[in-house]
Amino acid sequence: MTAIPSFTGDANPYGGGDPYADYRTADFPFTQYADLADRRLGAGVIAANDEFFAQRENLLVPGRAEFDPEHFGHKGKIMDGWETRRRRGASAEHPWPTAEDHDWALVRLGAPGVVRGIVVDTAHFRGNYPQAVSVEGTCVPGSPSPEQLLGDDVKWTTLVPRTPVGGHAANGFPVAVEQRFTHLRVNQHPDGGIARLRVHGEVVPDPAWLEALGTFDVVALENGGQVEDASDLFYSPATNTIQPGRSRKMDDGWETRRRRDQGHDWIRYRLAAQSRIRAVEIDTAYLKGNSAGWASVSVRDGEDGQWREILPRTRLQPDTAHRFVLPVPAVGTHARVDIFPDGGISRLRLFGSLTEDGARRLAARHQELGG
């Protein structure tokens, strides 16, 4: 296994030009998983003990943090992140924070699940980043208030132990805790600023909720669907195709580079569990001169199952939601959409319900992970 790069210490003061020119980052293997703290899934930063310089909500803003060297307000430099005031000691004789002093923020995951890795991004916090960070997780049903989450009866599990971090850097941490979490507590020791938080993992839905829904989108990210692989990720991630809601702009879907051969592009998905699919929707919203020309959909049952085409190669129109009711329900655990020859789609929806075996397996996994 490749070691995860780590960064510590200050970055150089901003000297002009591209502020990301000296940004420290790496390719973290766990970023293949979806961001459970994505605002599009319903995530939120619901509380923080201090946000004097910059608001806690900035932690989950999509896209990388921006930097304006001339942007100041009444409280000081305005940063695109979460920044707390400087901590002080108890007296003139002891002006330094204690080893236990820290600031915290509570994050509600948009989709509960198993966390595989966390990125604490300190972009543009060059000399005002925390000395160290730690992250804890808990699983609490329903919609608990911050006061309830901070109660003595809530058990928190360490996901990232107190670890030194660097300024103006993407600090990545693999997580090996096989447990379902609904909320995180992000701690910075003793104070400072964090630009962005990304929580990569696998969604583990509530089986009781899916049972109550009956028919639902069995490939949707929020319901436990997952992109396993794709032929091309040049312009945008394939996970966009199973995000909630309709695409709102071109880069909110999946678009491939232009092919100059006789091949075609594809995405392979794992469904929430074994499902019985009754209808398919392929949406090309906002893809007008670059939508896929044709598409087909196939499913297979099990890791070693044979692919069976359930929607033959069909002409797609730009910026259009295409809906197909299947003549016979299709049972499977995986799905694949093939587009010809290239281009993009914004969303794929597979409407159906879990089979008895799928529901049983999902309920067992949910219980095993402490859900």
Side-chain angles (χ1 to χ4, degrees), residues 2-349:
T2 304
I4 301 294
S6 61
F7 307 103
T8 57
D10 293 349
N12 293 324
Y14 174 64
D18 179 6
Y20 275 99
D22 60 342
Y23 176 68
R24 296 176 286 178
T25 188
D27 291 327
F28 303 119
F30 50 75
T31 56
Q32 64 178 298
Y33 297 101
D35 182 7
L36 304 182
D38 194 323
R39 284 287 300 172
R40 290 174 293 181
L41 290 174
V45 187
I46 60 175
N49 71 307
D50 187 293
E51 48 186 328
F52 185 85
F53 285 115
Q55 296 175 332
R56 65 182 190 262
E57 288 87 356
N58 289 333
L59 283 172
L60 305 187
V61 170
R64 66 183 190 176
E66 299 180 356
F67 180 71
D68 182 351
E70 306 299 328
H71 197 190
F72 286 83
H74 294 293
K75 293 182 179 180
K77 181 72 185 72
I78 295 177
M79 298 292 289
D80 185 10
W82 167 50
E83 185 180 6
T84 66
R85 72 193 79 199
R86 299 189 187 214
R87 281 184 171 269
R88 297 295 185 239
S91 66
E93 290 73 26
H94 297 281
W96 309 279
T98 69
E100 292 74 30
D101 285 342
H102 67 278
D103 293 318
W104 53 264
L106 293 178
V107 177
R108 178 190 65 242
L109 297 180
V114 178
V115 178
R116 300 302 184 192
I118 295 173
V119 177
V120 177
D121 189 350
T122 59
H124 315 303
F125 289 94
R126 295 169 175 269
N128 52 345
Y129 60 94
Q131 182 183 31
V133 300
S134 61
V135 183
E136 303 159 280
T138 189
C139 184
V140 179
S143 304
S145 67
E147 292 75 20
Q148 290 173 310
L149 290 170
L150 295 172
D152 294 336
D153 58 334
V154 173
K155 178 185 177 182
W156 292 89
T157 300
T158 298
L159 305 184
V160 178
R162 182 169 175 169
T163 307
V165 295
H168 197 44
N171 300 278
F173 306 96
V175 176
V177 180
E178 201 70 18
Q179 186 177 329
R180 181 179 186 266
F181 295 102
T182 60
H183 295 78
L184 300 187
R185 183 164 60 191
V186 181
N187 306 302
Q188 48 177 336
H189 308 267
D191 54 40
I194 299 171
R196 296 289 189 267
L197 176 74
R198 304 299 185 224
V199 183
H200 297 280
E202 299 178 71
V203 176
V204 180
D206 182 353
W209 176 252
L210 297 185
E211 182 181 2
L213 291 179
T215 297
F216 59 93
D217 183 1
V218 298
V219 76
L221 180 60
E222 61 188 320
N223 294 331
Q226 181 178 323
V227 169
E228 289 192 326
D229 200 4
S231 61
D232 189 291
L233 302 173
F234 188 81
Y235 285 114
S236 47
T239 303
N240 281 352
T241 60
I242 54 175
Q243 289 282 1
R246 294 198 71 197
S247 174
R248 296 187 178 184
K249 49 193 176 77
M250 191 177 74
D251 66 350
D252 192 20
W254 173 60
E255 181 188 0
T256 71
R257 74 191 81 195
R258 298 187 188 210
R259 278 190 171 268
R260 303 306 187 196
D261 58 20
Q262 298 301 305
H264 73 281
D265 290 312
W266 51 267
I267 307 175
R268 187 177 74 243
Y269 305 89
R270 187 182 70 194
L271 307 183
Q274 187 188 62
S275 304
R276 186 171 288 105
I277 302 167
R278 301 185 184 88
V280 175
E281 179 177 308
I282 301 175
D283 195 352
T284 58
Y286 291 95
L287 295 164
K288 298 182 179 181
N290 52 351
S291 67
W294 292 262
S296 64
V297 178
S298 303
V299 300
R300 76 179 184 199
D301 193 21
E303 295 290 343
D304 300 321
Q306 296 295 315
W307 289 106
R308 297 176 293 107
E309 192 173 70
I310 63 172
L311 179 70
R313 191 180 304 189
T314 302
R315 188 73 166 97
L316 299 183
Q317 299 299 322
D319 195 28
T320 301
H322 309 76
R323 293 174 176 170
F324 310 93
V325 176
L326 301 183
V328 178
V331 174
T333 57
H334 296 72
R336 190 183 73 226
V337 60
D338 294 271
I339 65 170
F340 303 87
D342 56 24
I345 62 174
S346 61
R347 296 291 187 269
L348 174 70
R349 305 300 189 203

